[in-house]
Amino acid sequence: MTRIVVVGAGPAGVAAATLLVERGADVTLIEERAQPGGQVWRAPAPGLALDMDRLLRGDSEGFRRFHAGFAVLRPRIDWRPETLVWNVHGGTVQIVAGGAQQALPYDALLLATGATDRIAPIPGWTLPGVFALGGAQAVLKDQGCLIGREVVFCGSSPLLFLAAVQYARFGAAVTVLDTTPLGAKISAVPGLAASAPRQLAKGIGLMAALRRQGRPMHLGVTLLGFEGSGGVTGVRWRDARGVERVTACDAVAYGHGLRPESQLAEIAGASLRFDRLRRFHAPEADALGRCGNGLYVAGDGAAIGGAEAAEVSGRLAAMALLADRGESVEFGALPERLARLRRFQDGLARAFAWPHAQVAALADGVTVCRCEQITAGEVRAVLAPQLGAAEVNRMKAATRCGMGRCQGRYCGHAAAEITAAALGRADAPLDRLRAQPPVKPLPIASALVEDDWP
Amino acid sequence: MSSVTADVGIIGGGLTGCATAYHLARRGARVVLLERGFVGAQSSGVNFGNLRLQGRYLRQLPLALRAQRLWEELEAEIGESVEFSQTGHVLAAVTPAHVAEIETHAVDCKPYGLDVEILDRRETLRRWPFLGEIVIGSSWSPRDATVNSRLVCPALARAARRHGADIREQVSVTAVEQAAGGAFRVVTDQGFVLDCGHLVNAAGAWAAPLAAQFGEEVPAFAAGPVQMVTEPLPRFLDPVIHAVDGGILFRQTARGNVLIAGHPRVPVDAESRRTRVPPQKATINMARLAKIAPFLRTQNIIRMWTGIEGYLPDMLPVFGPSRTTPGLLHAFAFCGHGLQIGPAVGAVLAELILDGGTQTPIGDFAIDRFRTPMAADKAKLKHEFDMEILDRKMPN
């Protein structure tokens, strides 16, 4: 019997598993967390009575539909929650569950590993109390907690206003400092209106809601840094007219959009391609999510697209998988729908551009690699000329930048920008830190093997 | 096509090539080193960092002791840190046979000038109380040391360049020709040729084809030693702890990570230069670590990797002058023991080229020892290599 392993139980992975099960496939669905949902439909921790209608408002219907769908799916699949896939090797996924390592052979592998925040380092970003925007949302959805009472939401992201509104609904005093250049936003509007008028209207509605509530909101600002000793106490910024200001706060949610979690795909053998618009690498796949050799990718881990695109891409990747195994499938209008959703995302990526020039010009004293405490100046100091590092992996070898607990998942993009700029190659496709297993820290105690040594 | 002229051309920018360039340049020779990728980016830069004296092949000890003197002075000499740390080495015995082995070795290495101390179980556990019950004795060698291998080759290459060496990265050699007068012409993919009177073949796991071109076939093969690290921990360990049979070894880096390695070495693809650690092998190393140092069970592995090293069936390198071609010198396939002796290998090659000879005994490593077919002792090697490697490379 064919065993299909799906990694990630967010909208993409669950949509894929659902379609595969309906076609009679034997599906193992692996999820790192205890519950399905991914980031967008993240459910409150068990036993926590969080009012999801109040939190999600108009989106609560989608939340309920997802979890109801999963309840139907669950008895029909091999469901593996709290299971880490730390490696893919030789036709097996290597997992850790219940404190023990195990190898699961597969015939086809569908990765729906989602996305995490892409961090643009600025002075003070490693202070306690500074959260990634997605992290601030996860704390609320998962634990029903706020990261602070007076929270500054800052950066440039389509999720910035949504997260601020959600925090406001739960009583936080929020301030929004939007760094998106106004021109970029305005010039993106026609494209967004054409490809997804509903999402555009929703975004405008969120801004209007905050304004009605009298929440401070500043557009087109420049962030200068997060301040405080031992914890964040303020955000220093410059307004659109050039006046420098400080907003007091006890927490910061800071975001510049998302990046695909592509390490597992890379380890599983996918090629990565450089996305010039977003300035990151993503798995090389066809429009349906095929990477070749029985490997498929879907959702934000394949291409940043949001919940709806994730669901559609999950179904498409599952169909492609079935088609490749000789089954007849009807793709219908789904490919065109996915293409339209991704065009909308291209518009968002232009409006909320990753501030690469600002990252590349980061002051020497600012930390780039949080795990190893490596500054921008230390990165620049080891680069060529004179037999210095000539690309980012050699820079890593010389500095330890990207060698810590997160293995470069959080510093890698900034390190690549700084390296490329310092080497005069900012216009070429960026280098990237190569992925190595384990994808996440692997407990030594999980190695329960029969070994006759000595 | 432009032409570059040098006294000595070196193919390969690993430790052997960089150390040779450094010693030659220091003595005034005109040197050009060609590296296909980046200096020290292959096995020279991803190894365990062990500058181990005890437990070596005995007749390599004069070379090794010479190398240790060079290591002891290297940082001061080149003005850069390579995290040289002379904190000793523990050969940990976990079977009675291991105890017998270290006791014999302690006697045998003494005439060469290496003094090691045999410790019983109690003394071993007094000094390193975190070691597991399975450790029943040890051999302590205080002069052994470690370095951060990632830093060594770039630092040596910079030092060589300061002495006038011409180090060229991202240059592939496409052909080597010998002119009538005996000089070499090295053709590259970067629009120039290198003309040189002496040529050093220091191409590591990729060196054998060049030797074969000059009529010197060697049964070299590639393999990878598996390495992994934990997250950084507060300092608890200074020396290297190394099971006598090499089944597991570990040390704590300057940063605090525990660096772990151990036999057997795994298959690697030298052609694609891509390496993958077989997960079952990583798991075995983790289980063995938990046996020899149980308290590390609570730690996490954050990264694992391997490199592409050249090996020969008698576990000794090819190192010395070509026996067929005057002016050509070979130094490759160091069988996983190349880091410690690297600086002395460079010094000796410089002597062979500039003085016509050396006082350091290297006869055991001559390339012509393979003229008569050598039967590999598979039984002996089976602890050191994955069986897949032995079956493929030594089918007899």
Side-chain angles (χ1 to χ4, degrees):
Chain A
M1 184 134 197
T2 301
R3 164 124 88 170
I4 298 167
V5 170
V6 178
V7 180
V14 167
T18 303
L19 189 139
L20 290 165
V21 161
E22 281 165 2
R23 296 292 299 259
D26 185 8
V27 176
T28 298
L29 178 58
I30 301 174
E31 168 57 45
E32 191 176 357
R33 294 191 298 113
Q35 300 186 86
Q39 297 304 327
V40 64
W41 304 133
R42 187 186 264 267
L48 182 70
L50 185 64
D51 183 349
M52 294 309 280
D53 287 333
R54 182 175 160 207
L55 176 61
L56 298 172
R57 292 280 168 87
D59 291 330
S60 59
E61 176 55 30
F63 175 87
R64 261 195 299 275
R65 191 159 42 82
F66 174 87
H67 286 281
F70 182 78
V72 175
L73 174 67
R74 181 177 168 159
R76 305 176 67 188
I77 56 170
D78 173 21
W79 166 236
R80 310 253 187 157
E82 295 184 275
T83 299
L84 170 70
V85 179
W86 67 272
N87 196 359
V88 177
H89 189 92
T92 65
V93 289
Q94 303 287 321
I95 62 172
V96 183
Q101 290 176 34
Q102 199 189 329
L104 286 185
Y106 63 82
D107 297 299
L109 177 62
L110 197 156
L111 298 176
T113 44
T116 48
D117 291 83
R118 178 158 55 161
I119 305 295
I122 64 169
W125 75 277
T126 60
L127 278 172
V130 178
F131 284 67
L133 186 59
Q137 281 190 298
V139 166
L140 178 53
K141 289 180 183 173
D142 195 299
Q143 301 294 318
C145 294
L146 304 177
I147 61 170
R149 287 189 176 82
E150 294 171 52
V151 185
V152 173
F153 286 79
C154 58
S156 176
S157 160
L159 298 176
L160 191 64
F161 285 90
L162 175 63
V165 165
Q166 289 173 342
Y167 263 66
R169 286 173 192 158
F170 280 79
V174 304
T175 301
V176 177
L177 301 176
D178 186 351
T179 62
T180 312
L182 291 172
K185 230 181 215 175
I186 291 161
S187 63
V189 163
L192 297 178
S195 55
R198 200 158 45 87
Q199 282 94 331
L200 181 66
K202 192 168 143 188
I204 293 168
L206 289 168
M207 286 177 69
L210 280 177
R211 204 178 292 275
R212 270 198 311 277
Q213 294 167 27
R215 312 284 185 183
M217 195 164 75
H218 304 274
L219 307 182
V221 311
T222 304
L223 292 176
L224 302 175
F226 306 128
E227 302 187 334
S229 57
V232 69
T233 54
V235 179
R236 182 173 292 276
W237 55 284
R238 198 162 48 224
D239 68 21
R241 288 166 304 163
V243 180
E244 203 169 305
R245 303 170 64 169
V246 176
T247 299
C249 63
D250 58 9
V252 168
Y254 175 55
H256 276 104
L258 303 175
R259 45 161 284 270
E261 282 280 272
S262 58
Q263 295 82 11
L264 213 49
E266 182 182 352
I267 289 170
S271 304
L272 297 190
R273 69 182 164 79
F274 182 64
D275 180 332
R276 280 184 177 270
L277 171 59
R278 296 171 180 82
R279 294 184 71 80
F280 58 48
H281 291 82
E284 181 85 77
D286 72 5
L288 304 174
R290 288 188 182 100
C291 297
N293 296 321
L295 177 67
Y296 304 82
V297 291
D300 280 354
I304 301 300
E308 191 182 346
E311 191 183 324
V312 174
S313 71
R315 286 166 64 191
L316 278 174
M319 287 180 186
L321 190 161
L322 291 170
D324 292 347
R325 304 194 73 79
E327 300 199 23
S328 70
V329 293
E330 285 293 330
F331 293 103
L334 281 183
E336 174 47 33
R337 190 168 152 212
L338 181 61
R340 198 179 66 244
L341 288 164
R342 289 199 170 147
R343 279 198 299 277
F344 172 69
Q345 289 293 329
D346 285 352
L348 289 181
R350 285 190 191 92
F352 302 95
W354 161 250
H356 66 92
Q358 174 200 316
V359 172
L362 191 65
D364 276 346
V366 181
T367 299
V368 175
C369 170
R370 176 175 58 172
C371 302
E372 295 295 318
Q373 295 288 301
I374 305 299
T375 64
E378 288 171 286
V379 169
R380 293 186 183 109
V382 301
L383 300 174
Q386 292 303 310
L387 288 172
E391 56 88 49
V392 76
N393 290 284
R394 298 311 294 156
M395 180 283 294
K396 167 182 163 180
T399 60
R400 306 194 60 83
C401 177
M403 273 195 188
R405 183 183 171 90
C406 88
Q407 287 295 294
R409 283 159 61 238
Y410 292 97
C411 66
H413 295 80
E417 296 286 3
I418 293 166
T419 300
L423 294 172
R425 292 207 303 256
D427 295 331
L430 290 177
D431 303 326
R432 64 186 167 78
L433 294 173
R434 286 184 293 270
Q436 284 168 311
V439 165
K440 300 266 175 79
L442 179 64
I444 288 173
S446 67
L448 307 171
V449 287
E450 289 298 320
D451 171 35
D452 55 5
W453 185 82
Chain B
M1 185 161 287
S2 65
S3 156
V4 178
T5 307
D7 299 328
V8 185
I10 299 173
I11 299 177
L15 177 56
T16 301
C18 290
T20 305
Y22 173 67
H23 283 284
L24 283 166
R26 231 166 47 133
R27 295 185 57 187
R30 288 179 307 148
V31 186
V32 175
L33 182 152
L34 305 178
E35 164 55 44
R36 170 167 61 174
F38 299 110
V39 295
Q42 294 292 339
S43 64
S44 293
V46 299
N47 63 69
F48 187 84
N50 211 356
L51 306 183
R52 173 171 65 90
L53 293 168
Q54 66 173 346
R56 292 193 87 85
Y57 174 69
L58 283 171
R59 289 203 302 226
Q60 204 178 70
L61 276 175
L63 183 70
L65 287 162
R66 181 175 179 185
Q68 209 72 345
R69 286 191 295 278
L70 292 169
W71 279 116
E72 285 158 3
E73 293 155 8
L74 185 73
E75 288 180 328
E77 208 172 273
I78 66 175
E80 281 195 52
S81 168
V82 293
E83 293 180 15
F84 177 79
S85 170
Q86 199 154 31
T87 44
H89 181 274
V90 180
L91 273 175
V94 295
T95 69
H98 289 172
V99 175
E101 197 177 320
I102 56 176
E103 285 175 345
T104 303
H105 180 73
V107 174
D108 291 347
C109 67
K110 209 171 170 63
Y112 290 92
L114 177 66
D115 280 313
V116 302
E117 188 184 354
I118 298 297
L119 309 178
D120 63 13
R121 175 184 210 157
R122 207 170 128 202
E123 180 60 15
T124 303
L125 293 177
R126 191 189 69 76
R127 293 192 192 188
W128 302 287
F130 51 82
L131 289 176
E133 289 290 304
I134 64 166
V135 177
I136 57 174
S138 65
S139 172
W140 164 242
S141 181
R143 204 178 163 192
D144 297 26
T146 57
V147 288
N148 183 338
S149 60
R150 295 193 316 271
L151 306 179
V152 170
C153 288
L156 266 176
R158 282 189 286 269
R161 187 176 270 185
R162 283 195 294 274
H163 287 288
D166 182 354
I167 312 274
R168 301 191 179 198
E169 295 183 311
Q170 296 184 278
V171 177
S172 285
V173 172
T174 54
V176 176
E177 298 153 7
Q178 200 175 17
F184 297 93
R185 166 159 285 198
V186 181
V187 185
T188 74
D189 67 346
Q190 295 297 311
F192 70 92
V193 297
L194 165 64
D195 291 311
C196 51
H198 286 88
L199 185 66
V200 177
N201 175 13
W206 300 270
L210 182 61
Q213 184 191 326
F214 291 94
E216 298 178 290
E217 299 265 359
V218 295
F221 60 98
V226 170
Q227 327 268 317
M228 54 180 83
V229 286
T230 67
E231 295 169 78
L233 303 181
R235 180 139 299 275
F236 71 96
L237 172 63
D238 290 324
V240 175
I241 307 284
H242 191 146
V244 170
D245 62 6
I248 189 77
L249 60 158
F250 64 101
R251 69 182 181 93
Q252 191 173 21
T253 66
R255 166 72 175 123
N257 313 73
V258 180
L259 174 53
I260 301 146
H263 297 331
R265 301 171 179 98
V266 299
V268 289
D269 183 3
E271 204 54 50
S272 72
R273 288 185 270 163
R274 283 194 55 163
T275 59
R276 297 290 306 269
V277 176
Q280 59 276 24
K281 166 62 187 160
T283 306
I284 285 172
N285 277 16
M286 293 162 71
R288 289 179 183 177
L289 182 75
K291 276 185 193 169
I292 199 166
F295 91 110
L296 290 172
R297 281 177 57 82
T298 57
Q299 299 304 313
N300 291 314
I301 297 299
I302 60 171
R303 186 170 67 256
M304 55 185 68
W305 69 93
T306 185
I308 301 169
E309 293 188 333
Y311 291 86
L312 288 160
D314 58 1
M315 294 302 282
L316 295 176
V318 161
F319 171 33
S322 161
R323 300 299 200 201
T324 63
T325 311
L328 177 65
L329 299 101
H330 300 293
F332 62 86
F334 283 88
C335 301
H337 307 141
L339 178 69
Q340 191 275 330
I341 56 177
V345 168
V348 167
L349 284 170
E351 287 166 355
L352 293 173
I353 291 166
L354 301 179
D355 308 333
T358 180
Q359 298 293 313
T360 305
I362 58 165
D364 285 10
F365 317 123
I367 192 166
D368 58 1
R369 70 184 191 272
F370 297 104
R371 275 185 184 165
T372 50
M374 179 180 293
D377 188 348
K378 268 179 148 178
K380 192 165 160 238
L381 293 178
K382 78 169 201 269
H383 294 294
E384 298 221 18
F385 294 96
D386 190 292
M387 280 313 284
E388 188 187 325
I389 300 172
L390 298 184
D391 290 342
R392 204 171 60 221
K393 299 295 173 184
M394 298 164 216
N396 50 323

